[in-house]
Amino acid sequence: TAKLAEASSQTHKEVLMEDLFRNRPLRNSGQLKSFGCANVTDEHINLICMFYNLTSLVLSNITPSCSLAALRYLNRLKNLTLIRSRFSDVEEFLKVSGNQLICLNLVDVFGTNFTFISQNCRSLECFHLFFSRLEHLILPANYRDVDSHSLPVPEFPLVVTLQLYITEHSARG
């Protein structure tokens, strides 16, 4: 029974330490302003959120089960870069916090929805889109129709820098 009590006490200590780590900012965590991470998991996102003064974040290769929703607690985040990920990974975050972003960089983000960004990121001043394949970008429906000039175009009222780069490497024989 002494071993059981010791094991129970150790488990309790571990739970308390985990709770303390999760709910208290890291020492000097307010000093970090810019951060980047590759192969992003939920554990990375939870750690990133402890750096509450982040203004710039670069995320690459977000794992399929990872949620970026917790990033909504980064109230000072102004610049977000996503690389080689799926747009659906960031939609929930953009719905809640997209209007705080000033600059959005998307590099080979599959399923990027131009209209969704226009509706949820109204404060963007710079918007950079880089794609190695055209189908990664979802443009407004029927944009190629003869009467497309009469379709509503997604608006970005504050954008002063818009960069769109699409390169498709053709097969070489």
Side-chain angles (χ1 to χ4, degrees), residues 4-14:
L4 183 59
E6 184 179 325
S8 176
S9 175
Q10 182 64 24
T11 303
H12 182 68
K13 286 179 187 175
E14 289 172 358

Short mmCIF file of all heavy atoms in Angstrom, two decimals, residues 4-14:
data_model
loop_
_atom_site.label_atom_id
_atom_site.label_comp_id
_atom_site.label_asym_id
_atom_site.label_seq_id
_atom_site.Cartn_x
_atom_site.Cartn_y
_atom_site.Cartn_z
N LEU A 4 1.62 2.05 -3.55
CA LEU A 4 0.43 2.58 -4.21
C LEU A 4 0.22 4.05 -3.84
O LEU A 4 -0.06 4.88 -4.70
CB LEU A 4 -0.79 1.75 -3.83
CG LEU A 4 -2.11 2.14 -4.49
CD1 LEU A 4 -1.98 2.05 -6.01
CD2 LEU A 4 -3.24 1.26 -4.00
N ALA A 5 0.40 4.37 -2.55
CA ALA A 5 0.26 5.76 -2.11
C ALA A 5 1.33 6.63 -2.75
O ALA A 5 1.07 7.76 -3.15
CB ALA A 5 0.35 5.83 -0.58
N GLU A 6 2.57 6.09 -2.85
CA GLU A 6 3.65 6.85 -3.48
C GLU A 6 3.38 7.08 -4.96
O GLU A 6 3.58 8.18 -5.49
CB GLU A 6 4.97 6.10 -3.30
CG GLU A 6 6.17 6.86 -3.83
CD GLU A 6 7.47 6.08 -3.62
OE1 GLU A 6 7.59 5.39 -2.59
OE2 GLU A 6 8.34 6.19 -4.49
N ALA A 7 2.88 6.05 -5.65
CA ALA A 7 2.55 6.18 -7.07
C ALA A 7 1.42 7.17 -7.26
O ALA A 7 1.45 7.99 -8.18
CB ALA A 7 2.16 4.81 -7.64
N SER A 8 0.42 7.12 -6.39
CA SER A 8 -0.70 8.05 -6.47
C SER A 8 -0.23 9.48 -6.24
O SER A 8 -0.64 10.41 -6.92
CB SER A 8 -1.78 7.67 -5.45
OG SER A 8 -2.81 8.62 -5.47
N SER A 9 0.67 9.66 -5.26
CA SER A 9 1.23 10.98 -4.97
C SER A 9 2.04 11.50 -6.16
O SER A 9 1.96 12.67 -6.51
CB SER A 9 2.11 10.91 -3.72
OG SER A 9 2.74 12.15 -3.50
N GLN A 10 2.83 10.60 -6.80
CA GLN A 10 3.63 10.99 -7.96
C GLN A 10 2.72 11.41 -9.11
O GLN A 10 2.97 12.40 -9.78
CB GLN A 10 4.54 9.83 -8.38
CG GLN A 10 5.44 10.16 -9.55
CD GLN A 10 6.44 11.26 -9.25
OE1 GLN A 10 6.79 11.51 -8.09
NE2 GLN A 10 6.87 11.96 -10.27
N THR A 11 1.65 10.63 -9.35
CA THR A 11 0.70 10.96 -10.41
C THR A 11 0.06 12.32 -10.13
O THR A 11 -0.09 13.14 -11.02
CB THR A 11 -0.38 9.87 -10.52
OG1 THR A 11 0.25 8.63 -10.76
CG2 THR A 11 -1.36 10.18 -11.63
N HIS A 12 -0.30 12.57 -8.89
CA HIS A 12 -0.90 13.85 -8.51
C HIS A 12 0.07 15.00 -8.77
O HIS A 12 -0.31 16.05 -9.29
CB HIS A 12 -1.33 13.81 -7.04
CG HIS A 12 -2.00 15.06 -6.58
ND1 HIS A 12 -3.25 15.45 -7.03
CD2 HIS A 12 -1.59 16.03 -5.72
CE1 HIS A 12 -3.58 16.60 -6.48
NE2 HIS A 12 -2.58 16.97 -5.67
N LYS A 13 1.34 14.80 -8.43
CA LYS A 13 2.36 15.82 -8.67
C LYS A 13 2.51 16.10 -10.16
O LYS A 13 2.63 17.25 -10.57
CB LYS A 13 3.71 15.40 -8.09
CG LYS A 13 3.79 15.47 -6.59
CD LYS A 13 5.15 15.02 -6.11
CE LYS A 13 5.20 14.93 -4.60
NZ LYS A 13 6.47 14.38 -4.13
N GLU A 14 2.50 15.03 -10.96
CA GLU A 14 2.62 15.20 -12.41
C GLU A 14 1.44 15.99 -12.96
O GLU A 14 1.61 16.87 -13.81
CB GLU A 14 2.72 13.84 -13.10
CG GLU A 14 4.05 13.16 -12.85
CD GLU A 14 4.08 11.74 -13.38
OE1 GLU A 14 3.06 11.25 -13.92
OE2 GLU A 14 5.14 11.10 -13.25
#
